[in-house]
């Protein structure tokens, strides 16, 4: 029996949900998805207020420092715009940029802006404002502690210039095929130059974050509630969403509730309208009860582990390959997930146009994993674990708190790898503690990272051009250096696709990345009354078009 079909569980969870909400001033908001009456269930109507339950906003509001986390990104997407819109297939379309030109072998670009776009304080979102944002994304400001956007093509960025109020020219020293696509990345939100000029400490104040989106911040209490209200003068949403003018909803109230079961039961009971990140095993039961469960798949890297080639024991190529072949991904999909999840075929998501089929490089084969370790002289002990030179073959996994289901996933992986003699310890941390885990450079780090254009992957693979160096190789692997450079600087898409194939095959053959499944990181439980929620290519829900049915 599904947990939510258990009457006692539902009663207790319902009461817990009421208790969590009654302690706030949001009881009225949670009690009503009010909208104008008299409309049919298929005709959009204006008005109404919805309540969105979320785990928390623990990484703060300095966008350049947090890389726009999976949680904060839900709110940022309502109060800011981007130059370009991207859908789930990676297709680009105009937004604040109404058109663009790619010139000189993708070294130069001209961006033409929509007229009449303003920030929420009334100042124009003109070419000068776009130049300020481009410079912030490309360069950051180390003197103020402002970081550049990690996947922006910064290494070959030369300049951005406003040639008039509605036109921006951008120059690169070498081809930047991914530039326009990156303008749709959730890290490239357009903020007022006033906000960008603030000290980092002041940017942490959400009321100082001035965007141009369809909603503005009305009030907020950090760690508790965040109320957004629509901008009545908004009229520049992306045409791809099929709506013009202001948002249909009056307000969105984000309420922090840490417990997943309480968030879910509160929506099920009708006391809230949307809950972020439900348990995958409950999806079918929730759908059967009439709820919508959005499971958008973003463009980016799959759920999996970036491998530190300098740490024990993954400094041994044999161990990396044994881990790849020792994980039974089909068992993970059947045990932890549902039909909404697909197996990984490479280390990038299947909806990325350049994603290839390389699953043979890491398919489950326990016999092969055992032979690899035997040949590398990892000997089995009486406790069932292998050792070599007096060291046990073990490491610690930390489930990704941005993807709650990875805890169950990693528990199963630990059981699977035990069968080939590898000891896996688990360490569970919250979002606030995950950055420290990453900084410690563990043997395996469970990643969740989106991108819009495949060319930007070069920014994480090595330390070239101040890259993130996911695998701890620096610039020691010349073949990886060459492939990274080639994919970042390709001057045409056909040649870049060929390089992307070679890069995927090489990374997997070296055991630098261990794919698991195609990631569904952001899940949305939505009341049957809420209609026309849309998802972009980064898998964020967009409430600009949403409305409430009676």
């Amino acid at each position: 029996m599904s947990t939510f079909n258990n009457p006692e569980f539902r009663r207790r969870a319902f009461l817990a949900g009421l208790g969590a909400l009654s302690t706030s001033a949001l009881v009225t908001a949670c009690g009503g998805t009010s909208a104008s009456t008299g409309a049919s269930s298929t005709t959009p109507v204006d008005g109404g207020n919805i309540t969105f339950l979320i785990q928390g906003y623990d990484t703060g509001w300095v966008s350049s420092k947090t890389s726009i986390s999976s949680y904060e990104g839900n709110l940022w997407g309502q109060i800011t715009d981007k130059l370009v819109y991207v859908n789930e297939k990676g297709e680009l379309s105009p937004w604040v940029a109404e058109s663009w030109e790619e010139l000189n072998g993708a070294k130069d670009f001209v961006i033409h802006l929509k007229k009449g776009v303003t920030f929420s304080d009334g100042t124009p979102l003109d070419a000068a404002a776009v130049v300020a944002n481009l410079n912030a994304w490309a360069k950051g400001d180390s003197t103020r502690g402002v970081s550049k956007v990690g996947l922006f093509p910064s290494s070959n960025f030369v300049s951005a210039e406003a040639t008039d109020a509605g036109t921006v020219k951008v120059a690169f020293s070498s081809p930047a095929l991914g530039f326009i696509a990156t303008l749709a990345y959730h890290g490239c939100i357009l903020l007022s130059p006033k906000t960008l000029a603030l000290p980092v400490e002041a940017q942490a104040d959400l009321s100082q974050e001035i965007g141009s989106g369809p909603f503005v911040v009305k009030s907020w209490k950090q760690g508790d509630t965040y109320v957004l209200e629509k901008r009545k003068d908004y009229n520049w949403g992306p045409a791809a969403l099929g709506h013009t003018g202001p948002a249909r909803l009056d307000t969105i109230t984000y309420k922090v509730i840490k417990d997943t079961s309480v968030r879910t039961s509160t929506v099920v009971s009708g006391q809230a309208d949307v809950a972020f990140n439900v348990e995958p095993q409950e999806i079918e039961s929730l759908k059967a009860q009439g709820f919508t469960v959005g499971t958008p798949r973003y463009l980016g890297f799959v759920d999996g582990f970036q491998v530190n080639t300098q740490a024990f024991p993954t400094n041994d190529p044999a161990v990396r390959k044994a881990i790849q072949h020792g994980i039974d991904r089909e068992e993970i999909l059947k045990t932890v997930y549902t039909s909404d999840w697909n197996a990984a075929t490479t280390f990038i998501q299947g909806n990325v146009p350049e994603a290839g089929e390389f699953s043979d490089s890491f398919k489950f084969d326990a016999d092969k994993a055992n032979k690899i370790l035997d040949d590398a002289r990892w000997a089995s002990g009486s406790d069932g674990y292998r050792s070599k030179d007096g060291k046990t073959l073990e490491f610690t996994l930390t489930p990704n708190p941005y993807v709650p289901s990875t805890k169950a996933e990693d528990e199963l992986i630990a059981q699977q790898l035990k069968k080939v003699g590898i000891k896996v310890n688990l360490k569970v941390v919250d979002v606030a503690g995950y950055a420290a885990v990453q900084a410690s450079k563990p043997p395996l780090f469970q990643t969740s990272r989106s991108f819009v254009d495949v060319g930007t992957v070069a920014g994480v693979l090595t330390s070239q051009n101040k890259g993130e160096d996911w695998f701890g190789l620096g610039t020691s692997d010349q073949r990886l250096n060459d492939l990274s450079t080639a994919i970042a600087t390709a001057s045409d898409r056909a040649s870049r696709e060929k390089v992307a194939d070679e890069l995927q095959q090489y990374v997997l053959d070296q055991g630098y990345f261990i794919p698991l499944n195609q990631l569904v990181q952001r899940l949305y439980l939505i009341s049957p009354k809420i209609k026309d929620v849309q998802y972009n290519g980064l898998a964020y829900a967009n409430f600009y078009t949403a409305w409430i049915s009676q």
Side-chain angles (χ1 to χ4, degrees):
M1 176 182 290
S2 169
T3 304
F4 277 96
N5 287 331
N6 182 311
E8 177 59 19
F9 179 89
R10 292 185 65 174
R11 184 187 71 82
R12 286 186 283 111
F14 170 63
L15 292 173
L18 288 178
L21 290 170
S22 65
T23 59
S24 77
L26 293 177
V27 174
T28 53
C30 295
T33 50
S34 58
S36 56
T37 60
S40 74
S41 62
T42 59
T43 303
V45 295
D46 291 338
N49 315 290
I50 68 168
T51 299
F52 184 124
L53 308 181
I54 196 163
Q55 285 97 314
Y57 294 126
D58 296 331
T59 58
W61 300 106
V62 182
S63 61
S64 64
K65 294 182 70 173
T66 66
S67 300
I68 310 292
S69 86
S70 185
Y71 301 109
E72 281 79 5
N74 278 285
L75 192 151
W76 278 119
Q78 314 307 325
I79 67 173
T80 63
D81 293 323
K82 302 182 185 70
L83 288 165
V84 176
Y85 183 80
V86 62
N87 68 13
E88 69 281 358
K89 297 179 181 178
E91 297 166 340
L92 305 177
S93 58
W95 193 344
V96 173
E98 65 179 4
S99 65
W100 50 85
E101 302 163 49
E102 180 182 296
L103 307 169
N104 192 22
K107 292 182 182 179
D108 298 309
F109 299 84
V110 179
I111 300 172
H112 303 280
L113 305 177
K114 283 183 182 177
K115 295 180 180 179
V117 180
T118 60
F119 291 105
S120 60
D121 65 352
T123 57
L125 201 173
D126 56 11
V130 170
V131 167
N133 278 273
L134 287 166
N135 284 326
W137 303 336
K139 302 174 183 178
D141 186 346
S142 58
T143 63
R144 294 191 298 131
V146 176
S147 303
K148 64 183 182 180
V149 172
L151 295 181
F152 190 88
S154 301
S155 62
N156 54 345
F157 176 81
V158 175
S159 64
E161 174 190 2
T163 59
D164 60 43
T167 309
V168 177
K169 286 187 176 181
V170 185
F172 293 87
S173 59
S174 58
L177 282 176
F179 168 62
I180 294 297
T182 301
L183 300 179
Y185 181 57
H186 63 265
C188 294
I189 54 173
L190 291 163
L191 292 170
S192 164
K194 293 180 182 179
T195 296
L196 296 175
L198 290 172
V200 169
E201 296 76 16
Q203 290 184 32
D205 180 351
L206 188 56
S207 65
Q208 302 276 10
E209 303 291 357
I210 303 171
S212 62
F215 293 88
V216 296
V217 178
K218 180 181 180 181
S219 63
W220 63 297
K221 180 180 180 182
Q222 181 64 20
D224 185 23
T225 55
Y226 307 75
V227 182
L228 309 184
E229 63 181 353
K230 74 176 177 183
R231 279 190 67 179
K232 295 180 181 180
D233 62 343
Y234 186 85
N235 194 30
W236 46 83
L241 296 180
H243 176 54
T244 58
R248 295 184 173 118
L249 298 171
D250 288 331
T251 67
I252 304 172
T253 296
Y254 292 89
K255 169 66 180 173
V256 173
I257 295 182
K258 298 289 187 182
D259 186 87
T260 301
S261 65
V262 173
R263 288 195 308 275
T264 302
S265 63
T266 304
V267 172
V268 169
S269 68
Q271 297 299 302
D273 307 292
V274 183
F276 191 53
N277 283 347
V278 298
E279 294 291 350
Q281 298 89 341
E282 301 299 338
I283 290 176
E284 294 307 316
S285 172
L286 291 164
K287 287 181 177 179
Q289 296 174 63
F291 292 89
T292 297
V293 183
T295 56
R297 187 171 294 110
Y298 68 33
L299 301 156
F301 295 96
V302 300
D303 175 22
F305 302 105
Q306 57 191 65
V307 179
N308 184 351
T309 62
Q310 305 306 303
F312 176 86
T314 50
N315 56 345
D316 184 342
V319 171
R320 302 198 296 265
K321 295 302 293 181
I323 294 171
Q324 280 187 330
H325 293 294
I327 295 174
D328 186 344
R329 294 159 184 83
E330 288 301 319
E331 184 182 21
I332 292 172
L333 287 173
K334 291 177 182 177
T335 305
V336 180
Y337 297 112
T338 71
S339 59
D340 294 289
W341 277 256
N342 296 321
T345 64
T346 179
F347 62 85
I348 56 180
Q349 297 271 83
N351 55 343
V352 175
E354 295 82 4
E357 168 52 74
F358 300 100
S359 54
D360 281 351
S361 297
F362 54 89
K363 68 180 180 181
F364 173 60
D365 188 337
D367 291 339
K368 184 173 184 177
N370 275 310
K371 186 176 188 308
I372 290 171
L373 293 173
D374 288 342
D375 291 346
R377 295 187 295 114
W378 286 96
S380 296
S382 58
D383 59 358
Y385 295 114
R386 294 175 180 268
S387 63
K388 182 178 179 180
D389 299 329
K391 292 183 178 181
T392 300
L393 180 48
E394 70 175 315
F395 55 84
T396 296
L397 285 183
T398 300
N400 184 347
Y402 291 102
V403 188
S405 58
T406 57
K407 181 176 182 291
E409 188 178 84
D410 290 356
E411 289 172 347
L412 185 53
I413 288 171
Q415 296 172 26
Q416 293 174 348
L417 292 181
K418 182 178 181 179
K419 295 176 182 177
V420 297
I422 301 174
K423 184 177 182 180
V424 178
N425 307 301
L426 294 182
K427 177 184 178 182
V428 178
V429 302
D430 58 14
V431 168
Y434 204 49
V437 173
Q438 184 176 22
S440 71
K441 299 181 179 180
L444 298 182
F445 180 75
Q446 192 153 20
T447 191
S448 57
R449 187 74 170 271
S450 57
F451 60 76
V452 181
D453 184 82
V454 73
T456 59
V457 303
V460 305
L461 301 180
T462 73
S463 63
Q464 294 181 113
N465 301 310
K466 299 181 180 179
E468 295 182 28
D469 194 20
W470 273 11
F471 314 133
L473 292 161
T475 57
S476 63
D477 186 331
Q478 190 58 50
R479 177 63 174 155
L480 187 61
N481 295 344
D482 293 343
L483 288 169
S484 297
T485 299
I487 200 168
T489 61
S491 58
D492 66 272
R493 286 166 177 79
S495 63
R496 189 177 68 167
E497 185 173 355
K498 182 176 182 296
V499 173
D501 275 352
E502 295 176 15
L503 176 62
Q504 291 170 76
Q505 186 72 71
Y506 184 75
V507 167
L508 293 168
D509 285 349
Q510 302 305 307
Y512 293 157
F513 195 99
I514 298 172
L516 297 176
N517 57 73
Q518 294 192 43
L519 185 60
V520 180
Q521 180 176 1
R522 301 185 248 282
L523 290 82
Y524 296 87
L525 171 62
I526 301 174
S527 163
K529 291 184 177 182
I530 310 303
K531 308 295 185 182
D532 289 350
V533 176
Q534 299 194 52
Y535 304 94
N536 64 19
L538 288 312
Y540 282 109
N542 190 310
F543 290 93
Y544 169 55
T545 57
W547 56 282
I548 302 168
S549 172
Q550 295 299 302

